[in-house]
Amino acid sequence: MTKQELIENIKSKKSFLCVGLDTDISKIPEHLLDDEDPIFSFNKAIIEATADLCVAYKPNIAFYESYGVKGWESLRKTCEVLPKDCFSIADAKRGDIGNTSKMYAQAFFNPASSGLNFDSITIAPYMGKDSVTPFLEFDGKWAIVLALTSNHGSLDFQNFQNKEGQQLFEEVIDKVNTWGSSENIMYVVGATRGEAFTTIRKHAPDHFLLVPGVGAQGGSLADVCQYGMNKDCGLLVNSTRGIIYASKGKDFAEKAREEAVKLQKEMQEQLEIHGVI
């Protein structure tokens, strides 16, 4: 998916919602456990219930890897049923040297070898250029680079300042910007970072930002939009637990849709306030 296609989809659906598919078999409705593939059954129902309300889906790969071969098969089947008009994100947070990164890129971007065909992958850039650029060698694919996250441990490194007072996450963005463009690179910025989005936008004014942490983690959608939205929206705001686990009953998909509708309406309001639509 191109940047312009993503922008057009946001304007068409009046939404910049990304639904996280962090599917934990211990949390899905019990009646699905008798299915041949409970994880896929759950994902398919969530996707069908929310596809017209969101512009992206983000399976967290750890939730599939933990089940071994069966988990990978659930992921493959989930990837196949993701709507073509929705941006797909492999939330894998890979980050290794060049040869290994090339194999990771093959795993998530080359359906001929792995059966997976995601639009993008999240990447930890600690090992530098080697860990990012192999993913950019695939036409039409995106690297979503960790910049400023909202977990407590992020304070261990991300806010370190150099002698000029620039923080590490700022240096990361500036360096990564030299390896690609806003057409194939996004950044992860936690929703709880509030006014830090203003700093992020000084370094990445035109890039899309993937924003986890709205809802269950306490991030404010209004704050994210106030400080982070650009003329094209430039945001993919992720919600996981608040949507996919809205109910543990047979009405789980219906309740998931209700929660997605609430977020979509809030997002439409923000898009109108900021003049995107």
Side-chain angles (χ1 to χ4, degrees), residues 95-262:
D96 210 327
I97 60 173
N99 287 340
T100 308
S101 287
K102 285 181 180 180
M103 293 298 103
Y104 282 138
Q106 289 264 11
F108 292 101
F109 292 164
N110 187 350
S113 63
S114 69
L116 301 179
N117 191 21
F118 284 94
D119 292 313
S120 64
I121 184 172
T122 56
I123 298 172
Y126 188 78
M127 294 185 75
K129 186 175 183 179
D130 299 22
S131 62
V132 177
T133 54
F135 297 94
L136 303 179
E137 294 174 3
F138 283 74
D139 287 342
K141 303 299 186 180
W142 295 72
I144 307 181
V145 179
L146 298 177
L148 186 61
T149 59
S150 54
N151 61 302
H152 181 71
S154 67
L155 300 174
D156 292 339
F157 298 120
Q158 293 170 19
N159 294 102
F160 276 9
Q161 294 187 8
N162 63 20
K163 293 179 180 179
E164 288 74 38
Q166 189 174 53
Q167 297 174 91
L168 179 57
F169 74 86
E170 296 177 80
E171 294 193 56
V172 167
I173 294 173
D174 287 345
K175 177 60 72 173
V176 174
N177 282 345
T178 68
W179 304 334
S181 71
S182 65
E183 300 286 339
N184 61 1
I185 289 175
M186 300 185 186
Y187 293 102
V188 178
V189 184
T192 58
R193 289 302 193 166
E195 294 185 21
F197 278 87
T198 302
T199 303
I200 296 284
R201 280 303 184 202
K202 290 178 181 177
H203 298 272
D206 301 320
H207 289 71
F208 264 86
L209 308 179
L210 174 62
V211 185
V214 166
Q217 295 181 47
S220 164
L221 181 64
D223 284 350
V224 168
C225 294
Q226 179 181 349
Y227 300 112
M229 187 172 283
N230 63 20
K231 62 181 177 60
D232 296 318
C233 178
L235 299 170
L236 293 176
V237 171
N238 183 76
S239 178
T240 300
R241 286 170 286 174
I243 291 178
I244 70 173
Y245 298 135
S247 170
K248 290 196 70 171
K250 293 186 176 181
D251 63 347
F252 74 96
E254 177 184 339
K255 294 300 181 183
R257 179 174 179 81
E258 289 177 6
E259 294 303 315
V261 166
K262 291 177 186 177

Side-chain angles (χ1 to χ4, degrees), residues 18-67:
C18 174
V19 174
L21 297 174
D22 303 7
T23 307
D24 184 341
I25 201 166
S26 69
K27 294 182 180 179
I28 67 176
E30 289 186 5
H31 73 276
L32 294 177
L33 298 181
D34 293 329
D35 290 5
E36 180 181 355
D37 189 340
I39 291 175
F40 173 68
S41 296
F42 179 82
N43 287 351
K44 186 172 184 290
I46 294 291
I47 292 165
E48 291 174 348
T50 60
D52 61 320
L53 301 168
C54 67
V55 297
Y57 287 96
K58 182 178 71 65
N60 186 320
I61 304 306
F63 285 81
Y64 302 87
E65 289 178 323
S66 64
Y67 298 115

